[in-house]
Structures are given as structure tokens and as C-alpha cells.
Amino acid sequence: MEFKCGYVTIIGNTNVGKSTLLNKIIGEKVAIISPKAQTSRDNTLGIYNDDNSQIIFIDTPGYHKLEHKLDSYMQENIDTAINGDVDVLLYVIDGKKPLVEQYEKLMNKGDKRSKKILVINKIDDTTFEKLYPQLNELNKVCKTDEILPISALTGKNVDVLIEMIKKYLPTYDYEMRYYPKEQFTDKNVRYLSAEIIREKILLLYNEEIPHGVAVQITQFDETSEIVKISADIYCEKESHKMIIIGKNGEAIKKLSTISRIAIEKMLDAKVYLDLFVKVKPNWRTDNLILEEFGYTNK
Ligand SMILES: Nc1nc2c(ncn2[C@@H]2O[C@H](COP(=O)(O)OP(=O)(O)OP(=O)(O)O)[C@@H](O)[C@H]2O)c(=O)[nH]1
Ligand SMILES: [Mg+2]
């Protein structure tokens, strides 16, 4: 018997589809997704299992400008995830944007010993005519072990990617799994619930609001049939609080409803969700508050 087991880190610019790819591979929603930049803040493990392998994927925050201490925390997460004992690094780029330019920003990232696969995502939303000339240019400069065009959204070539990764993982002559076969992430439902609320905030409000928002679960009571969840939504300004709540509380009602439905789907249970909006000026630059919110690597 030949068994494959190892670590794969997914890196790339913000919004290229790293978390979408992770969810597609795992077949569960382990990371939140949004059309806005800087969606993921933490590293998230997605554990892929089949009969002859276990692949531990690490989804990272996207590369972006460092403005706040929160950005430094996100950058630290990427650094940890690429410099550890990583067997394969996936460089994810957006097939709808200039390929060579995106590749060149990633080409020196990570440990020299890791194998590297350049993944060109979003090919469902571009044409061969647009891609082809760029692929020629890319081939001339690209030093990764493989290049693969995929669509994380439709799943095109995701199975090919899995088989490609397996080639580069250590081989065992016994079933080697770091995690139990039924475990598919390192995150618990409490964390995932907070993330779902943040995902819906990214969906409903303009860019400026979600980037300054943190969600804290204050109650998670699963003792009765209806799961009772309370969450504090922290924003940076009184004016943002007004926008989040909306006229006559309509905006927060909508946020609460769509968040509740998504959490119910995840938990497969009825949920009672209570949201509170609070203001903490400049929390993104305050080490103590970042720590309180769980944005710390200590
Ligand atoms: N058309 C198309 N859209 C995609 C694909 N993959 C992801 N997207 C979209 O791209 C946007 C960003 O996706 P995410 O998965 O959140 O991107 P990310 O790289 O994790 O972003 P950060 O967490 O901010 O670094 C979302 O609107 C996705 O629906 C794809 O294969 N095709
Ligand atoms: Mg992400």
C-alpha cells in the first residue's frame, strides 16, 4: 500500500480565490468568501482525506498593503504558513488579471525546499484567446514545478490538482494521518459562526465598514433544541455603527436574518441569533484589543 500525507500552503494576492479553492477541495465551507478584498484574516486548515491520502491545506490571508497592526498579524500568518515544513506551495493567481506580473510577485516566496505549483484560477470567466498569449510569456519566466489552470468556482481541474499535489507528498507504506479521518478543519463552530457573520457584513456593506469590523461571540448555548448565539460586532466609528444598524434597524435585521440562515445550515439546527453593535475606535492598531479579539499569534 502506498499512502501520501503532507502539508500544502495556499498563497496569493487578496481576492484571487484561495478560500474558494479550499472549500471546493474539502467539500465543506471552512473559510468565508467574498467579492471584496482582505476577506480572510487567519490561517485556516482544510483537511482533505481519501483512501490513499491525507492532505492538510492551509488557507492564508491574501497579500495586501500593511496599514494597521491587524495587517501585520495577517502578514505574520502568511509567513508562518510558507516557512514551516510545507511540502507543496500553491501560488494562486487570477486568470482575469495579468499573469506574469502576478507570478513575479510570488516567485520568491516560501522555502526553497517546497515544491511549487502555479494555479491560474477563474478560467471559467475568461477565454482561451485571452489566456493563450499570456501563457506563452508565463512559460518563459515561470520556475514552478507545475502550472495548472483551474476554476475553483466550477471545480474544473480541481481533481487534477489533487493528483498533481500527491506526486510531491511524502510516501508511507502505512496509513499515515495527522488528523482523524472525519475532521476537516481546525476551526470550531463558534469561530465559524463569527466568521459567517463577518462574511455577511462583507456582503451587505461598503468596503470601508467590513474592513474595520470584528465579530466576537459572547454566548453559544447548545443545551436546548434552539442554539442560542449572541455576538458583538465591533466597528471603529459611531457613524459606522449607524450604518450597520440602518434606518429603523432594517440593515441589522437583514444581517441577522441572512447570518442566522447560514449558521443554521452549518449547524443543521435552529438558531436564535442576537447581534449587538459596539464602537471601539482604532481597534485595528491596538495590540491589547487585537489580542482580545483573537488576532494574535502569541
Ligand atoms: N469566476 C470565478 N470567480 C471566482 C473563482 N474563485 C473565486 N472566485 C470569486 O473571487 C472572489 C474572491 O474569492 P475568495 O475565495 O474570497 O478569495 P481569497 O483569495 O480567499 O481572498 P482573501 O481572503 O481576501 O485573500 C469571490 O467573489 C469568489 O466568488 C473562480 O474560479 N471563478
Ligand atoms: Mg480568503
Side-chain angles (χ1 to χ4, degrees):
M1 174 200 183
E2 194 175 83
F3 197 87
K4 296 282 187 174
C5 182
Y7 280 87
V8 178
T9 293
I10 310 173
I11 63 164
N13 274 343
T14 179
N15 218 36
V16 296
K18 298 178 296 300
S19 302
T20 307
L21 175 61
L22 182 81
N23 290 347
K24 196 67 175 183
I25 291 170
I26 305 306
E28 297 276 351
K29 189 180 171 80
V30 292
I32 60 166
I33 292 168
S34 94
K36 299 203 174 77
Q38 297 161 46
T39 297
S40 306
R41 289 175 177 169
D42 307 291
N43 289 348
T44 295
L45 291 196
I47 305 149
Y48 170 90
N49 281 290
D50 63 21
D51 288 342
N52 59 21
S53 74
Q54 176 167 84
I55 314 174
I56 300 135
F57 289 90
I58 308 167
D59 179 30
T60 62
Y63 285 103
H64 65 278
K65 251 201 343 229
L66 304 184
E67 288 177 46
H68 306 277
K69 282 186 180 144
L70 176 66
D71 301 310
S72 311
Y73 164 77
M74 289 156 77
Q75 179 64 47
E76 263 173 49
N77 282 334
I78 310 175
D79 293 342
T80 322
I82 60 177
N83 293 322
D85 230 344
V86 182
D87 300 294
V88 180
L89 261 179
L90 297 188
Y91 289 164
V92 183
I93 61 175
D94 185 336
K96 295 184 342 187
K97 294 188 176 154
L99 303 185
V100 173
E101 190 184 314
Q102 292 181 83
Y103 163 70
E104 284 176 341
K105 280 194 184 139
L106 294 172
M107 60 189 278
N108 293 318
K109 306 273 189 213
D111 196 304
K112 287 206 166 45
R113 289 166 299 180
S114 308
K115 294 291 176 186
K116 294 173 184 92
I117 300 176
L118 180 66
V119 175
I120 304 169
N121 191 30
K122 307 196 185 182
I123 56 161
D124 59 282
D125 203 16
T126 182
T127 58
F128 183 70
E129 286 72 24
K130 278 187 196 153
L131 268 182
Y132 188 71
Q134 293 199 65
L135 285 175
N136 271 337
E137 291 307 306
L138 191 61
N139 259 321
K140 288 182 203 155
V141 291
C142 190
K143 294 195 185 74
T144 59
D145 299 276
E146 310 268 2
I147 302 179
L148 183 70
I150 69 156
S151 167
L153 196 68
T154 67
K156 172 109 183 137
N157 277 351
V158 170
D159 52 345
V160 179
L161 177 63
I162 297 282
E163 292 311 310
M164 196 178 259
I165 290 168
K166 283 185 190 173
K167 279 200 309 198
Y168 297 111
L169 298 183
T171 305
Y172 300 85
D173 56 8
Y174 54 93
E175 193 169 320
M176 166 69 199
R177 292 185 205 270
Y178 290 114
Y179 292 87
K181 204 173 174 181
E182 59 286 351
Q183 185 179 347
F184 56 83
T185 183
D186 61 333
K187 300 291 189 278
N188 59 31
V189 286
R190 201 182 163 111
Y191 173 90
L192 293 171
S193 301
E195 283 289 274
I196 286 174
I197 297 167
R198 209 164 59 74
E199 180 184 68
K200 302 310 173 200
I201 294 171
L202 277 151
L203 184 76
L204 291 182
Y205 302 97
N206 286 337
E207 204 103 0
E208 198 194 358
I209 306 272
H211 288 161
V213 154
V215 177
Q216 286 275 286
I217 303 291
T218 52
Q219 184 199 20
F220 198 100
D221 182 355
E222 292 177 283
T223 51
S224 51
E225 211 172 300
I226 297 183
V227 181
K228 286 197 197 104
I229 304 173
S230 307
D232 289 343
I233 297 169
Y234 287 97
C235 60
E236 295 193 311
K237 293 178 188 164
E238 208 56 51
S239 60
H240 287 180
K241 179 176 169 176
M242 306 284 281
I243 295 170
I244 294 171
I245 293 172
K247 206 171 145 211
N248 300 324
E250 273 162 24
I252 193 149
K253 213 185 259 169
K254 189 167 175 197
L255 171 66
S256 180
T257 305
I258 63 170
S259 301
R260 177 181 52 76
I261 291 168
I263 297 170
E264 283 179 339
K265 192 171 164 218
M266 171 182 68
L267 297 175
D268 195 20
K270 282 260 165 252
V271 167
Y272 179 82
L273 179 65
D274 236 348
L275 299 178
F276 303 90
V277 187
K278 298 181 174 177
V279 180
K280 257 202 188 159
N282 304 320
W283 68 263
R284 280 182 290 174
T285 57
D286 187 319
N287 277 338
L288 277 179
I289 306 176
L290 283 170
E291 210 167 302
E292 189 187 317
F293 288 171
Y295 294 124
T296 172
N297 285 311
K298 274 188 202 152

